[in-house]
Amino acid sequence: LGICPFSAFLFISSSIAYTQYLLRHHPSSSSSKAKNTEMGCTTSSSKAKFQVVFVLGGPGAGKGTQCTLLSDRMSWTHLSAGDLLREERKSGSDLAELINSKISAGQIVPSSITVKLLKGAMEQIYELDNSKTKFLVDGFPRSAENVSVWDEHMPASVAKLEFVLFFDCPEDVMTGRILERAKTSGRNDDNLETIRKRFKTFRDTTMPIVDMFEKKGMVKTIVADKSVDDVYTEVEALFQSM
């Protein structure tokens, strides 16, 4: 059966034209998948959500102790704002002198520095283990400026604030704990003069923050003048109920 050369030419030309149309308007599935995968990875990384609990209380209220227990026994990572600042102070960086002078005076370090250190620590931990998404942020925020800068750099798309855990403890109990800790801590802010400054700073700047979150219904209070084990029993029950 003979085939007309002209008809064959028209068929081949039409096929080529249609194939080119498909390639222009419908990219190959492999290219599309590769592009989607690439976009997906970027989106996932930029929108990785952390769960955060702010942990507040006066100096010596037991924040660090309870956070350490939670970190050891549950899937929460403990980040101490104070410890991060002290580590940075030892690093010999340009920020070290400023941080040292503020801590020694019982004053609050500029919010931008604290938030930068917290954010960097969270991202570094997440990069090493992407199952680490729950963070206890101990000793932060301590001022309205802290809250404002946190909201600016850690929006809800990055970090979701679950609640504020507040350890309520009398100053005389906290003073006794700090002086006892001073025997082994090696911290230059664990002395009576600095303790008084820190209590005043806490009353003047941090308690209004606790009150602010309280009005939003976000504060969960634990009475912390009991033994470590008794306090932890209440704290653990709180987190188990989440």
Side-chain angles (χ1 to χ4, degrees):
L1 184 65
I3 299 176
C4 174
F6 182 70
S7 298
F9 173 78
L10 285 179
F11 174 79
I12 294 171
S13 298
S14 299
S15 298
I16 293 173
Y18 182 68
T19 301
Q20 289 176 337
Y21 170 84
L22 287 177
L23 289 173
R24 281 197 306 271
H25 294 274
H26 300 280
S28 69
S29 59
S30 60
S31 299
S32 179
K33 285 180 181 177
K35 184 176 180 181
N36 287 340
T37 300
E38 181 181 346
M39 290 177 65
C41 289
T42 303
T43 302
S44 175
S45 175
S46 64
K47 291 187 177 181
K49 272 200 174 185
F50 300 124
Q51 288 177 270
V52 172
V53 171
F54 289 153
V55 183
L56 296 177
K63 301 182 299 295
T65 299
Q66 295 300 322
C67 285
T68 299
L69 290 172
L70 278 170
S71 181
D72 290 342
R73 302 176 187 182
M74 301 186 74
S75 57
W76 289 81
T77 300
H78 176 204
L79 290 179
S80 165
D83 286 350
L84 288 172
L85 289 167
R86 280 184 284 273
E87 285 301 314
E88 185 67 20
R89 181 183 63 184
K90 295 175 186 176
S91 70
S93 70
D94 294 338
L95 299 175
E97 186 176 347
L98 173 61
I99 294 171
N100 188 43
S101 64
K102 292 290 185 181
I103 290 178
S104 296
Q107 297 176 350
I108 293 175
V109 173
S111 302
S112 57
I113 296 175
T114 308
V115 172
K116 179 181 178 181
L117 293 175
L118 286 168
K119 184 177 182 181
M122 292 169 69
E123 290 177 342
Q124 185 176 23
I125 291 167
Y126 180 75
E127 283 180 11
L128 293 173
D129 183 351
N130 61 18
S131 70
K132 300 287 188 181
T133 60
K134 299 179 180 180
F135 292 92
L136 302 165
V137 180
D138 168 11
F140 183 93
R142 293 185 175 182
S143 68
E145 185 194 20
N146 278 177
V147 176
S148 176
V149 174
W150 173 272
D151 288 343
E152 179 183 352
H153 294 280
M154 301 291 278
S157 61
V158 176
K160 178 187 176 185
L161 177 62
E162 297 291 343
F163 58 87
V164 176
L165 179 60
F166 175 55
F167 290 103
D168 189 10
C169 192
E171 286 189 9
D172 61 332
V173 174
M174 292 190 288
T175 300
R177 289 175 178 175
I178 294 172
L179 292 177
E180 184 64 27
R181 181 178 69 188
K183 297 176 181 178
T184 57
S185 69
R187 287 173 51 169
N188 65 357
D189 58 339
D190 278 353
N191 61 77
L192 198 55
E193 182 181 354
T194 303
I195 290 169
R196 289 179 180 139
K197 292 178 182 177
R198 291 169 68 195
F199 282 155
K200 185 178 187 307
T201 300
F202 175 75
R203 289 192 301 268
D204 294 346
T205 61
T206 305
M207 277 310 300
I209 301 306
V210 175
D211 294 339
M212 179 192 76
F213 282 115
E214 183 76 64
K215 291 175 181 176
K216 296 179 180 181
M218 297 190 69
V219 175
K220 298 185 185 297
T221 300
I222 299 290
V223 177
D225 61 352
K226 295 168 283 191
S227 71
V228 171
D229 290 340
D230 286 344
V231 172
Y232 180 73
T233 297
E234 294 185 32
V235 172
E236 185 179 52
L238 186 63
F239 278 80
Q240 287 177 339
S241 67
M242 288 179 62

